[in-house]
Amino acid sequence: MLINYIKIAWKVLLRHPFYTFITLFGISLTLTVLMVLTSFLDHLIGSHYPETKRDRSLYIMQMLQTDSSRSSRSMGPMSFKFLTDYAKSLKTPERVTLCTFINSSNAYVGSQKIKLNTKFTDADFWQVTDFEFLEGKPYNEQNIANSDYVAVITDDFKNHYFGNTTESVIGKDVEIENIHYKVIGVVKGSPVTRPFTYADVYFPYTTPKSNYQRSGFRGGYVAILLAKNKSDLKAIQDEFQNHINRIPLPGNQDGFKYSVLEVKSDPYLENFIGTLLDGGPGLRTIFFGVIGFIMFMLMGLPAINLVNINVSRIMERASEIGIRKAFGAPVKALVWQFIVENIFITFIGGAIALVLTFIIIQLINNSGWIAYADLTININVFIISILVCLIFGLLSGVLPALRMSKLNIAEALKA
């Protein structure tokens, strides 16, 4: 029976090519927007290069200090010393890395200035992340202990600084901010949308201008806590919070007297949403609620237009419906037939949308709008796309099918 419904739907599509074009254009355009949006969200919050262990990582990004009247507050990254005392000392994580966010620097090739994003890290940074080394290797604890002037650079910076050469640049010198560093590694770059790992050049934190010696609580460093297993995340959070709770209050930070101090270790999504929404309970629910509402509106409005088109299409087949009813076809079977037909058409539009989405994300990846962008249609995006197609098909097909079911035989045969 299902095969027959699909054959009928195919014949109906071939009967009016222009109408079919309009229908598929609306469906595929709507679904393309939704799939590109889904792919972008997956790019932002999913576990991708070089942060492929996000599912078992916790992020410490900022400290919030509030005065006793809660009328003023100070918020930002922490000092290297603070994170060493309260995060690096944790026993439960498999590994903890400390690094800075992006710092701006300049390098020169002849008279040409190259604007750089640099990052200071410890040696564990290369174990917590999964950077692909195209040449050389990362710096290690010995390089850091010796305060070696070494650097790991990205392939993109290599091409800018040394020219598009295929020769190895390991051991060569780069001059950044009038300081000479020896290149010991070349990695494939991280997308700019991953602030914990994105940079053009990576330095050991013991090299100049890292400010790792700062003694206060606040500074320019963040931390990633890597758990052995996902099940350890709660234990790590509890252990870290116990460390924070032992900090005596009230305190004084650069003249600012605070009585409340908050530092959280959150999974990436909560950390990401907390930054956008300024913290608070139920952030995951709020975030996905807003995203769900936007996607529903993106689907709902085109679905309403498609409902009107489907009603017209079904009314054209009123005589067919009347004849089938006259021969005893139950209303339930007719409703089911039109819903299946609509879902079939929607999935054709979904297949077209998949192709369009693939083309669009390739254009985005190659355009340079997002440095090192790696938008993909992976299994998660594909499954969500299939669900979206199914929901879209049901939204636009149920109402016309129910309206058709109310036609009596006489009215249907007169149409």
Side-chain angles (χ1 to χ4, degrees):
M1 187 63 73
L2 184 62
I3 300 298
N4 288 334
Y5 289 165
I6 293 175
K7 287 181 178 177
I8 293 171
W10 181 250
K11 293 294 184 184
V12 171
L13 286 177
L14 296 179
R15 189 185 302 169
H16 300 292
F18 181 73
Y19 162 79
T20 300
F21 169 76
I22 295 296
T23 303
L24 291 179
F25 178 79
I27 294 173
S28 57
L29 184 63
T30 302
L31 295 180
T32 297
V33 172
L34 291 171
M35 289 180 188
V36 171
L37 177 62
T38 303
S39 178
F40 186 69
L41 287 174
D42 180 68
H43 168 83
L44 282 180
I45 62 179
S47 295
H48 299 293
Y49 176 87
E51 299 176 41
T52 55
K53 303 168 188 167
R54 270 185 181 173
D55 58 337
R56 57 186 179 99
S57 297
L58 294 170
Y59 294 78
I60 304 173
M61 196 172 76
Q62 58 188 6
M63 170 187 290
L64 173 64
Q65 296 163 304
T66 310
D67 65 6
S68 57
S69 63
R70 294 184 178 270
S71 59
S72 60
R73 63 180 187 172
S74 176
M75 185 167 63
M78 294 132 287
S79 67
F80 185 86
K81 184 179 184 308
F82 174 86
L83 289 173
T84 300
D85 293 342
Y86 297 99
K88 200 78 172 178
S89 59
L90 298 177
K91 304 298 182 186
T92 313
E94 176 182 319
R95 204 173 288 271
V96 177
T97 181
L98 310 184
C99 61
T100 61
F101 268 146
I102 298 168
N103 306 288
S104 296
S105 299
N106 295 315
Y108 292 88
V109 178
S111 59
Q112 181 188 3
K113 182 170 77 173
I114 303 175
K115 293 183 178 180
L116 295 176
N117 294 301
T118 60
K119 186 182 288 289
F120 297 95
T121 82
D122 58 13
D124 287 321
F125 180 79
W126 306 107
Q127 306 300 321
V128 172
T129 58
D130 283 322
F131 274 93
E132 178 185 354
F133 273 80
L134 305 175
E135 298 177 28
K137 59 184 180 181
Y139 40 81
N140 54 31
E141 296 287 359
Q142 191 63 49
N143 295 124
I144 290 176
N146 296 338
S147 299
D148 292 338
Y149 283 25
V150 295
V152 172
I153 65 175
T154 62
D155 51 346
D156 188 56
F157 176 63
K158 173 192 169 183
N159 292 334
H160 278 82
Y161 195 86
F162 296 101
N164 292 315
T165 177
T166 57
E167 296 179 2
S168 174
V169 296
I170 301 303
K172 292 189 176 181
D173 178 88
V174 293
E175 182 180 354
I176 299 172
E177 300 291 346
N178 298 319
I179 301 174
H180 292 263
Y181 299 89
K182 184 175 77 172
V183 177
I184 64 169
V186 179
V187 296
K188 175 185 172 185
S190 171
V192 68
T193 48
R194 287 158 205 163
F196 281 84
T197 52
Y198 169 73
D200 298 302
V201 182
Y202 303 85
F203 301 120
Y205 68 84
T206 48
T207 50
K209 302 183 180 180
S210 73
N211 295 322
Y212 80 97
Q213 304 95 336
R214 185 168 183 169
S215 58
F217 280 4
R218 292 283 301 281
Y221 284 84
V222 295
I224 305 175
L225 317 178
L226 178 65
K228 299 181 183 73
N229 302 293
K230 293 180 186 177
S231 57
D232 293 338
L233 293 178
K234 182 65 171 60
I236 294 172
Q237 286 179 306
D238 291 342
E239 184 185 3
F240 178 68
Q241 198 56 53
N242 288 335
H243 281 211
I244 297 301
N245 291 340
R246 289 202 292 268
I247 297 175
L249 293 174
N252 191 313
Q253 171 73 45
D254 297 331
F256 174 66
K257 296 179 179 178
Y258 58 89
S259 58
V260 178
L261 186 146
E262 295 180 10
V263 188
K264 295 180 180 179
S265 56
D266 287 326
Y268 187 81
L269 179 58
E270 278 78 359
N271 183 72
F272 177 79
I273 299 169
T275 304
L276 296 179
L277 302 182
D278 200 18
L283 289 176
R284 182 188 288 265
T285 304
I286 294 173
F287 178 76
F288 283 113
V290 171
I291 295 298
F293 177 75
I294 293 173
M295 296 188 76
F296 178 77
M297 292 302 294
L298 286 174
M299 283 194 299
L301 296 177
I304 291 173
N305 291 326
L306 194 59
V307 164
N308 294 326
I309 295 174
N310 284 341
V311 169
S312 301
R313 177 169 61 90
I314 289 175
M315 295 309 293
E316 281 186 352
R317 298 167 64 185
S319 57
E320 171 196 335
I321 296 168
I323 293 172
R324 290 190 61 187
K325 280 191 170 183
F327 280 91
V331 171
K332 183 178 179 182
L334 292 171
V335 170
W336 176 240
Q337 174 188 338
F338 282 99
I339 290 177
V340 169
E341 286 184 17
N342 205 61
I343 291 176
F344 172 69
I345 295 170
T346 303
F347 270 91
I348 293 176
I352 298 172
L354 268 177
V355 175
L356 293 175
T357 301
F358 179 78
I359 294 172
I360 290 173
I361 63 176
Q362 291 304 314
L363 290 174
I364 293 174
N365 288 343
N366 297 326
S367 65
W369 297 338
I370 304 173
Y372 302 109
D374 56 358
L375 276 70
T376 58
I377 302 177
N378 55 33
I379 186 64
N380 293 329
V381 174
F382 182 74
I383 290 174
I384 292 174
S385 301
I386 294 296
L387 289 175
V388 167
C389 289
L390 187 59
I391 294 171
F392 191 87
L394 288 172
L395 279 176
S396 59
V398 169
L399 188 60
L402 290 176
R403 179 168 179 179
M404 175 275 302
S405 68
K406 294 179 180 177
L407 288 175
N408 60 48
I409 297 175
E411 289 177 343
L413 291 174
K414 286 180 182 176

